[in-house]
Amino acid sequence: MQFEISKVINIGQVGITQLEIPIYTFGQGEPVLGITCYLHGDETAGIYVLANVVDYLKAHSYLFGTIHLIPVANPAAQFVKNRLSPIDALDINRLRQGNKEGTITERNAFYLFEFLVKCDLVINLHTFEMISPVTAVFMNAGAEEVRNKTLAAMKAFSPEIIWITDALQNRYSAYQSTLDVTLAEAGVTNFSIETSEIMFLTDEQIRRTSQGILNVTQYMGILKESFSDQITNEPQIISQRKVFTANVAGLWQPSVNLMQTVEPNTQVGILTTLHNFEPQDIYATDSGIIFQYRHRQHVATGTSLFSVGYV
């Protein structure tokens, strides 16, 4: 199947540079799946997943619907490899549907939303700061029908974890202005996939995430064939996450595995202080599973070290 740019969304200019969002399209007609990468410019893992999906789609001559790929949804931030735009220091994923007459990032958000709201389902590829399982994030937003369709699509994806973050609750208030919530409130089934950063993303996780996307295309009826290596595990449901941070600066060394069950006083790692090179054992204080952990790193006070997830 041919792979080429089908549409270019013009955002605006910075000096003499035109900022554009390229859209790559496979197939035609309904249903329509949209996939985005680089909403945050420092989250690079998704593009490797997308490359795997592209390789698969190139080998197919016909689809029963449309797949839109947006490799770079936030070109200004991606250019400098930063979470925020260097032009106005705004987070595109906290601007709801944006503003056609606003700053450059607000305009970016507006045109991106305008395109994605026409899709039947949207998957946004993100990257967690800490080492993490392949995680689908359920915002629990929108009408009941949208929420039910979202959960069904997530289960078709078969992530390792489904993290339920109720955007209407105060503790998740920062998520109320995300693209995910805004699309859900507009009636569009959508979810985000979070993975580890690219330097810690394994070949198996890349394969698993790209296969998850293909699972969704099959669920939507865009691809008809079955996959010999289709992943159909039952995801672990997490409804709460507690992040543990460093109380002192030092050299952090984790000693746990992802999704390992922990109890209070389970050792999770060692933090060696810098003023006297004294090792301190770091323990979990709650029962749950290791949702995320930071790789070996020199950390400052307040740096997240690991998180525990609860059902």
Side-chain angles (χ1 to χ4, degrees):
M1 185 173 292
Q2 191 174 11
F3 178 63
E4 60 184 11
I5 295 176
S6 61
K7 179 182 178 65
V8 173
I9 300 175
N10 294 317
I11 302 169
Q13 285 184 303
V14 180
I16 61 171
T17 302
Q18 179 72 45
L19 293 182
E20 300 174 336
I21 303 174
I23 313 292
Y24 296 82
T25 300
F26 288 96
Q28 60 183 347
E30 297 181 342
V32 180
L33 170 65
I35 306 171
T36 73
C37 290
Y38 276 122
L39 272 174
H40 295 128
D42 58 348
E43 297 181 0
T44 61
I47 200 69
Y48 285 83
V49 172
L50 209 60
N52 265 19
V53 174
V54 167
D55 285 344
Y56 185 90
L57 294 177
K58 280 182 178 179
H60 284 70
S61 58
Y62 190 77
L63 300 177
F64 297 86
T66 303
I67 302 174
H68 293 304
L69 307 179
I70 305 178
V72 182
N74 187 353
Q78 190 271 341
F79 181 72
V80 295
K81 298 180 181 178
N82 200 317
R83 180 179 178 86
L84 308 180
S85 167
I87 303 166
D88 51 22
L90 291 178
D91 184 338
I92 195 173
N93 203 31
R94 297 295 186 271
L95 296 176
R96 293 189 63 81
Q97 68 268 38
N99 181 355
K100 188 177 183 179
E101 299 179 353
T103 70
I104 197 76
T105 306
E106 289 173 325
R107 292 171 190 243
N108 191 154
F110 172 84
Y111 289 116
L112 182 64
F113 176 80
E114 186 181 55
F115 183 84
L116 293 175
V117 78
K118 299 171 186 175
C119 297
D120 296 295
L121 193 152
V122 174
I123 300 174
N124 297 307
L125 298 176
H126 286 273
T127 304
F128 273 136
E129 179 187 21
M130 293 187 281
I131 295 173
S132 311
V134 177
T135 302
V137 183
F138 177 66
M139 290 293 186
N140 201 24
E144 182 178 1
E145 180 182 6
V146 174
R147 298 197 302 271
N148 290 339
K149 287 182 177 179
T150 298
L151 279 172
M154 283 181 173
K155 289 180 179 179
F157 185 101
S158 291
E160 294 173 86
I161 284 180
I162 293 178
W163 180 25
I164 299 175
T165 58
D166 194 334
L168 300 180
Q169 296 184 18
N170 288 334
R171 71 174 183 272
Y172 295 125
S173 59
Y175 298 138
Q176 292 175 8
S177 56
T178 62
L179 177 61
D180 311 66
V181 169
T182 309
L183 285 170
E185 291 176 347
V188 180
T189 303
N190 78 99
F191 58 91
S192 288
I193 292 295
E194 298 271 7
T195 66
S196 301
E197 294 179 285
I198 188 60
M199 66 283 289
F200 304 109
L201 189 67
T202 65
D203 290 343
E204 171 58 23
Q205 287 177 316
I206 293 174
R207 187 197 71 81
R208 184 188 190 101
T209 308
S210 56
Q211 182 63 58
I213 291 173
L214 294 175
N215 291 353
V216 172
T217 65
Q218 186 186 52
Y219 162 79
M220 296 178 70
I222 296 174
L223 286 172
K224 297 295 187 181
E225 70 272 25
S226 297
F227 305 110
S228 59
D229 57 349
Q230 186 173 16
I231 300 166
T232 57
N233 68 290
E234 188 65 29
Q236 172 73 57
I237 304 296
I238 296 298
S239 59
Q240 295 185 55
R241 177 186 71 153
K242 183 175 181 179
V243 178
F244 293 79
T245 59
N247 291 325
V248 295
L251 306 177
W252 162 249
Q253 174 67 54
S255 59
V256 289
N257 297 311
L258 290 178
M259 302 183 73
Q260 174 183 330
T261 300
V262 295
E263 303 291 341
N265 297 320
T266 298
Q267 184 175 347
V268 178
I270 297 173
L271 185 61
T272 302
T273 60
L274 293 184
H275 64 282
N276 59 3
F277 288 93
E278 188 70 28
Q280 297 182 1
D281 293 335
I282 305 299
Y283 299 95
T285 60
D286 301 84
S287 301
I289 67 167
I290 295 297
F291 185 1
Q292 303 158 309
Y293 67 86
R294 183 168 296 281
H295 56 91
R296 181 190 297 114
Q297 189 176 339
H298 175 196
V299 299
T301 300
T303 301
S304 55
L305 300 178
F306 64 97
S307 72
V308 174
Y310 316 94
V311 178

